[in-house]
Amino acid sequence: MPRCSKRTRSGAPPTELLPGTTTLEDHHHHKRSRNSSSRRHSKSEDTSFSAKKCLTWFKEYTTVSEPDVLGPEGMEKFCEDLSVDPENVVMLVIAYKMGAKQMGFFTQEEWIKGLTELQCDSVHKLQNKLEYLRCLLNDPYMFKAVYRYSYDFARDKDQRSLDTSTARALLGVLLPRWALRPQLSEFLSRERRYRVVNRDQWCNILEFSRTVDVQLTTYDADGAWPVMLDEFVEWLRAERAGGSTMLAS
C-alpha cells in the first residue's frame, strides 16, 4: 500500500496556482494584486462620468409631452432632490454653468453641457459639488459674470429690460449682505417711473455696491452713474435727513 503524502492525509485539496505564478507566495501576491485592482476599478466606475446616466437622470424631471425640456415642476423636484431652495444662489450658478437661457427651464442640451463640465451624472455627485459652486462666487470676476448673466436669464423674453420686482428679488439672492440693498429696493418700489431696470442700470448697481460706502461718502456726484442711482442717492440722503430732523424735534 503506497504511503500517503501529508497533503493527502490532511484532507485539504491542493492549491491551484494562478497562470503566470510558480510558487504559493507568487500565487497569493498575484491574487492580492488582482483584488486590489478590482477595487480600484470599481471606485473608478463610481467617479467616472457617464453621459448616458446623465441623460437618464434628466428624463426623471421631464414629461412625455416635453421630453427635451425640464420645466417648472421638474425644476421643483430637482431642487428637492438636491435639498436646495430654488432661490438659493447656487441654483443660479448651476444655471450659469449650463448656459440656461430661461429661468425655470433647462433644455436637454443645456443640462448635458453643464453637467458634463461638472462631471456629474447623479444627484449625489452634484450635491458634492455644491460647496465648490458656491465658492466660485468668491472670485470677483466669476461673481460679476454670474451677476451679468442673471439679467438675461431672469428677463422676460418678450421684454428688453428686467422688471423692477424681479430685479429686487435677484438682488436679494445675489447681494443679500449689501448694506444699501434694502434701501435701494424700497426706492425702486416707491418710484413708479422705474417699472423696469435696463442693462446699464443693472451692471452699475453691482459697481455701486462695491465702491460706495453705506454713508455715501465715497459717492461722486460727477461720476458716470446712471440717473437712477443719482436719484437714489438724493432720495436716501433726504430720507436720512428727514429722520434726523424728526429725532431732533
Side-chain angles (χ1 to χ4, degrees):
M1 188 172 183
R3 185 177 179 181
C4 294
S5 68
K6 290 182 180 179
R7 185 171 55 194
T8 306
R9 283 201 309 269
S10 67
T15 301
E16 294 183 7
L17 298 181
L18 290 169
T21 61
T22 55
T23 67
L24 282 176
E25 185 177 352
D26 287 343
H27 165 83
H28 290 305
H29 174 73
H30 186 78
K31 191 174 181 181
R32 282 194 302 271
S33 298
R34 187 175 61 177
N35 290 340
S36 174
S37 172
S38 175
R39 285 193 298 271
R40 282 197 302 271
H41 179 65
S42 174
K43 187 175 181 181
S44 120
E45 285 181 343
D46 291 339
T47 57
S48 63
F49 175 79
S50 164
K52 183 178 179 181
K53 189 177 175 184
C54 186
L55 181 58
T56 301
W57 180 28
F58 174 77
K59 295 299 182 183
E60 292 179 16
Y61 305 115
T62 62
T63 61
V64 176
S65 58
E66 289 188 293
D68 298 331
V69 178
L70 185 160
E73 289 185 7
M75 190 68 70
E76 185 178 347
K77 185 177 185 302
F78 176 52
C79 290
E80 286 177 2
D81 289 349
L82 283 177
S83 300
V84 171
D85 189 285
E87 295 183 0
N88 191 301
V89 70
V90 77
M91 292 304 298
L92 198 53
V93 183
I94 291 172
Y96 171 79
K97 284 291 185 181
M98 291 186 183
K101 300 290 189 300
Q102 186 178 2
M103 183 181 286
F105 298 85
F106 292 148
T107 66
Q108 180 176 303
E109 183 181 355
E110 291 165 351
W111 176 277
I112 295 296
K113 171 191 173 295
L115 295 181
T116 298
E117 180 184 339
L118 292 171
Q119 291 290 283
C120 294
D121 54 20
S122 68
V123 170
H124 178 67
K125 286 182 182 178
L126 188 53
Q127 283 176 325
N128 288 339
K129 289 273 188 176
L130 293 180
E131 190 56 34
Y132 158 75
L133 292 169
R134 289 188 185 97
C135 288
L136 288 178
L137 295 176
N138 293 332
D139 179 343
Y141 296 101
M142 177 59 74
F143 184 90
K144 186 175 183 178
V146 173
Y147 179 91
R148 291 192 168 192
Y149 158 80
S150 70
Y151 184 85
D152 285 323
F153 178 61
R155 176 177 57 84
D156 285 340
K157 297 308 174 270
D158 58 348
Q159 296 182 358
R160 295 181 60 186
S161 299
L162 188 65
D163 71 83
T164 301
S165 60
T166 304
R168 289 164 54 207
L170 262 184
L171 288 173
V173 172
L174 288 159
L175 300 172
R177 292 187 292 274
W178 178 35
L180 293 178
R181 182 189 58 79
Q183 291 91 330
L184 177 61
S185 182
E186 183 182 352
F187 169 76
L188 291 174
S189 65
R190 284 191 183 188
E191 298 297 323
R192 296 299 180 185
R193 65 184 178 278
Y194 291 117
R195 296 181 182 276
V196 296
V197 175
N198 65 40
R199 189 183 305 277
D200 181 60
Q201 291 166 340
W202 178 254
C203 293
N204 273 279
I205 288 173
L206 176 60
E207 192 62 27
F208 189 91
S209 73
R210 290 178 168 180
T211 57
V212 178
D213 65 304
V214 70
Q215 299 304 325
L216 305 176
T217 55
T218 53
Y219 166 74
D220 181 6
D222 296 324
W225 297 113
V227 173
M228 183 189 78
L229 290 175
D230 289 330
E231 291 184 350
F232 165 62
V233 170
E234 290 175 11
W235 173 84
L236 183 55
R237 282 175 172 167
E239 287 286 308
R240 287 174 173 175
S244 300
T245 303
M246 289 178 65
L247 288 172
S249 61

